[in-house]
Amino acid sequence: MPSRSDSAWIAMSAASQGPWAAALAGGAVVGGADLALHLLGGHLSVAGPLSFGLAVFFLIGAGGALLRRGHDRTRAWAQQHPWSYALVPAAGTAATVFASFLFLSGDGLFGSLWEGLSDGLGVLVLLGIIGYVARGVRPASRR
């Protein structure tokens, strides 16, 4: 049984196999569309659309790694431990969203912390669900 630090390395290894170029494109499109909607509504806000784009980026990249075809030991581990796997991208989301709100908005420390933690929790829950679905749809381990 891997230790906590080993689990984090295994999760990062599995996530590294994701479609990160597509994730970047998806996050940019979603963030840009959200920025356009904010501008149409008369609100000049960069932190909100950026955080939405970052959350989509982590969801596409890490979720895509779970849904890839083929056999891989790290992906099999991620599908068997979806919540442990989801912690790494969720922490990445929380950290980047926190930083974007802290430096690009007037929300202050606690408001930025709230935004980061809430977006990280959303990514955690969605990736955990994707992990359970991926286990049944595209199992990485040979049974």
Side-chain angles (χ1 to χ4, degrees):
M1 175 177 227
S3 67
R4 288 219 185 262
S5 63
D6 290 341
S7 297
W9 285 109
I10 293 170
M12 285 189 284
S13 177
S16 71
Q17 300 172 22
W20 292 102
L24 182 62
V29 167
V30 168
D34 194 30
L35 179 63
L37 288 175
H38 274 87
L39 291 175
L40 283 175
H43 300 91
L44 179 59
S45 172
V46 177
L50 179 61
S51 69
F52 193 28
L54 286 167
V56 169
F57 168 74
F58 280 105
L59 279 173
I60 292 173
L66 287 171
L67 296 171
R68 291 184 65 150
R69 293 190 184 272
H71 173 71
D72 183 78
R73 293 176 82 184
T74 57
R75 205 167 64 253
W77 178 89
Q79 287 179 353
Q80 292 301 315
H81 304 90
W83 297 107
S84 296
Y85 169 75
L87 281 173
V88 172
T93 303
T96 55
V97 168
F98 168 72
S100 68
F101 266 90
L102 186 63
F103 296 118
L104 299 174
S105 75
D107 286 358
L109 180 67
F110 293 110
S112 300
L113 186 62
W114 172 256
E115 292 293 337
L117 290 176
S118 63
D119 284 9
L121 180 63
V123 168
L124 176 75
V125 169
L126 289 172
L127 281 177
I129 292 169
I130 290 170
Y132 277 116
V133 170
R135 190 183 335 186
V137 175
R138 288 209 174 132
S141 63
R142 297 179 193 152
R143 294 180 188 169

